Amino acid sequence: MPKKVYDTTRAHALCKRIPTAPFGDPKDRHIVGYDEFVRTGGYESLRKALGMKPDEVTGVVKDSVLRGRGGAGFPCGVKWTFLPKLEAGKDAGERYLAINADESEPGTFKDRLLMDFDPHLMLEGIAICMYACRLTKAYIFIRGEYHHQAHVLENAIKEAYEHGIFGAKGLLNQTNASQDAFVAECYVHRGAGAYICGEETALLEAIEGKRGWPRIKPPFPAIQGLFGKPTIINNVETLAHLPSILEHGSEWFCEQGVESSIGGPPSYGTKLMGVSGHVERPGVYEFELGMPIRTLVEEFCGGMRGGKKFKGAIPGGVSMGILGPDQYEAELDFDIGRKYNVLGLGTACPTVFDEDTDMVAVARNIARFYKHESCGQCTPCREGSGWLYQLLCRIEEGDARTKDLDLALEVATSMGSMPGTTICGLADGNNWATRTIMNKYRGEFEARVRRTSVPVKMTVGAHS
């Protein structure tokens, strides 16, 4: 297969107005207001969508095979079709859009870039989604620590109401192909800083004002979600792709990215990749899916910091697990999980480690995070995360024995929604992070423990 050539001569759709290396100087970034957004082509895709029937808009998104950018990678257009079909002439009542702007996954900061500097791009995507799915209200669930971003979004939403995007006089004053007066409302809902609210049903609970912990499924959100009504949940970056797909068409989108190399669904389009850790130039980059981590680090991030050797990388948030020292060529696409024994691509925001990193300390620190963030609803996660943290602390301090290594792996693999013991995937993240680090850096863990010895006593003859 010929080597993939990555086009670095033009900025891609998401960073069109945000100077980002290698296309522009990040020092030139500023908040793009409504007037500048419109001057540079903003809201034209919404006008185009309003000239189409809602099902036609959904069809374009389906044809693009846009996969969710929040972590799971589920096709966006397919998710939209799970909503109950509307009957002609009947009032469907309230239908909701929940936007996941929580971004509480450690090592992930790509949605923040969009909310910081180009909030109207996401708002245009929200409006397109609401029209296509006939959703009446949108709630942007933003993490509690994103104070500045929340204010930027509030100002952008105010501008959108003033210029006919949302509200009774919105959606560009109700001129659309479906010949109805459709009202779309949009709000910002600030969270309280809980990691678990990144899980979609916990997010819905939090918006409803309840304790943020996951719901049992079914029913699924598309059928019975927010306030018991049909609900679509999409990530910030996913929605931000919609304007360019509507502008250029699904075929244009499919020309970017890569086909699956293992016979699975393709990885089309570009992706925001937030690189952190031991590299010379950390930051957010936008490239086509399929770029190897080595290419991203060596050609665009200035290489490993201080010229040190690559030791490993978490490909997209700590819950995905780790790529070992022999997996530097791993491609950032949705095949990465099956090909390199990690949970998946996740947010495609690599955290890179150099040769001096203590992987035992990395595993312990990740376990501490999950212990703290477990909502406590499911016993295997609530108790198992605590046990796992205690075991890893013991290993790090040198007080453990070799049997504790096996015990830690046993505890990790026995909790999670994939073993079928928990409602959501928080425990799976804990499981994959711990298990992949321990298996791929086994020697470091063995060097920290004392050998387990089992004394054997033998008696010869009668024993008094």
Side-chain angles (χ1 to χ4, degrees), residues 189-265:
H189 184 100
R190 300 183 67 175
Y195 171 80
I196 194 63
C197 289
E199 195 278 334
E200 61 178 19
T201 59
L203 182 150
L204 298 181
E205 290 283 296
I207 292 177
E208 291 179 359
K210 303 173 186 175
R211 178 176 180 176
W213 64 8
R215 301 174 180 173
I216 295 175
K217 295 182 286 188
F220 293 94
I223 304 300
Q224 187 176 330
L226 194 59
F227 304 114
K229 300 294 184 179
T231 304
I232 289 294
I233 305 168
N234 281 142
N235 174 257
V236 169
E237 185 185 351
T238 307
L239 293 168
H241 271 292
L242 298 181
S244 62
I245 292 173
L246 266 292
E247 178 184 358
H248 300 290
S250 57
E251 291 184 3
W252 166 85
F253 187 79
C254 294
E255 290 172 356
Q256 305 168 78
V258 293
E259 298 284 350
S260 172
S261 59
I262 56 176

Side-chain angles (χ1 to χ4, degrees), residues 26-42:
K27 294 180 181 179
D28 295 331
R29 292 174 179 173
H30 60 277
I31 299 174
V32 177
Y34 177 85
D35 292 337
E36 181 181 353
F37 185 72
V38 171
R39 282 200 310 271
T40 53

Side-chain angles (χ1 to χ4, degrees), residues 124-428:
E124 184 174 14
I126 289 172
I128 291 170
C129 176
M130 295 182 76
Y131 173 71
C133 299
R134 315 308 281 168
L135 307 175
T136 55
K137 289 183 174 64
Y139 290 93
I140 304 171
F141 185 89
I142 188 168
R143 66 181 298 187
E145 294 88 344
Y146 278 2
H147 303 289
H148 171 71
Q149 291 74 21
H151 291 306
V152 171
L153 281 176
E154 291 281 12
N155 291 333
I157 290 173
K158 181 180 178 181
E159 291 181 320
Y161 269 90
E162 291 172 350
H163 291 88
I165 309 301
F166 300 117
K169 298 180 180 179
L171 287 181
L172 303 185
N173 302 315
Q174 300 301 324
T175 302
N176 61 67
S178 43
Q179 302 296 318
D180 61 357
F182 175 64
V183 178
E185 307 284 357
C186 185
Y187 310 97
V188 172
H189 184 100
R190 300 183 67 175
Y195 171 80
I196 194 63
C197 289
E199 195 278 334
E200 61 178 19
T201 59
L203 182 150
L204 298 181
E205 290 283 296
I207 292 177
E208 291 179 359
K210 303 173 186 175
R211 178 176 180 176
W213 64 8
R215 301 174 180 173
I216 295 175
K217 295 182 286 188
F220 293 94
I223 304 300
Q224 187 176 330
L226 194 59
F227 304 114
K229 300 294 184 179
T231 304
I232 289 294
I233 305 168
N234 281 142
N235 174 257
V236 169
E237 185 185 351
T238 307
L239 293 168
H241 271 292
L242 298 181
S244 62
I245 292 173
L246 266 292
E247 178 184 358
H248 300 290
S250 57
E251 291 184 3
W252 166 85
F253 187 79
C254 294
E255 290 172 356
Q256 305 168 78
V258 293
E259 298 284 350
S260 172
S261 59
I262 56 176
S267 299
Y268 291 147
T270 61
K271 182 76 182 68
L272 292 177
M273 302 174 183
V275 187
S276 60
H278 303 147
V279 297
E280 291 288 355
R281 288 197 299 272
V284 180
Y285 301 82
E286 183 186 3
F287 288 114
E288 297 177 43
L289 282 164
M291 175 174 283
I293 289 182
R294 180 190 292 274
T295 302
L296 180 61
V297 170
E298 301 293 341
E299 296 187 18
F300 303 105
C301 297
M304 297 296 296
R305 192 175 64 191
K308 295 184 179 180
K309 294 180 181 179
F310 171 85
K311 186 172 185 177
I314 295 171
V318 296
S319 60
M320 295 300 106
I322 197 165
L323 297 165
D326 59 340
Q327 296 175 332
Y328 201 12
E329 303 293 341
E331 304 90 352
L332 290 168
D333 60 34
F334 290 104
D335 288 344
I336 195 170
R338 289 170 60 187
K339 290 173 67 175
Y340 298 100
N341 191 29
V342 291
L343 184 55
L345 178 65
T347 57
C349 292
T351 303
V352 183
F353 302 108
D354 66 23
E355 57 188 312
D356 295 332
T357 305
D358 181 351
M359 301 312 297
V360 178
V362 170
R364 184 264 308 152
N365 194 36
I366 292 173
R368 180 203 60 81
F369 171 80
Y370 282 111
K371 173 183 177 295
H372 182 268
E373 294 296 337
S374 173
C375 75
Q377 183 177 189
C378 304
T379 302
C381 180
R382 181 183 68 245
E383 301 298 327
S385 61
W387 296 344
L388 198 54
Y389 175 61
Q390 290 177 27
L391 282 166
L392 289 169
C393 285
R394 191 186 306 167
I395 293 169
E396 184 182 23
E397 292 165 0
D399 293 333
R401 296 184 180 273
T402 50
K403 65 179 182 180
D404 292 320
L405 300 181
D406 296 330
L407 181 58
L409 289 172
E410 182 181 348
V411 170
T413 53
S414 64
M415 60 183 191
S417 58
M418 284 187 284
T421 61
T422 60
I423 293 174
C424 86
L426 184 143
D428 292 291

Side-chain angles (χ1 to χ4, degrees), residues 50-101:
L50 293 173
M52 305 163 62
K53 293 184 177 180
D55 288 346
E56 293 174 339
V57 178
T58 300
V60 172
V61 178
K62 281 183 65 178
D63 291 343
S64 72
V65 200
L66 169 64
R67 298 178 67 172
R69 274 23 181 185
F74 192 82
C76 176
V78 175
K79 179 185 284 190
W80 292 1
T81 63
F82 294 160
L83 287 167
K85 298 297 181 184
L86 296 177
E87 296 184 29
K90 287 190 176 181
D91 182 11
E94 299 289 348
R95 288 155 63 103
Y96 297 99
L97 172 63
I99 300 93
N100 189 343

Side-chain angles (χ1 to χ4, degrees), residues 96-130:
Y96 297 99
L97 172 63
I99 300 93
N100 189 343
D102 189 63
E103 197 165 54
S104 52
E105 183 78 18
T108 299
F109 45 93
K110 45 98 178 175
D111 292 341
R112 176 178 176 174
L113 181 77
L114 299 175
M115 294 185 285
D116 263 332
F117 301 109
D118 197 4
H120 281 283
L121 180 65
M122 178 181 67
L123 296 184
E124 184 174 14
I126 289 172
I128 291 170
C129 176
M130 295 182 76

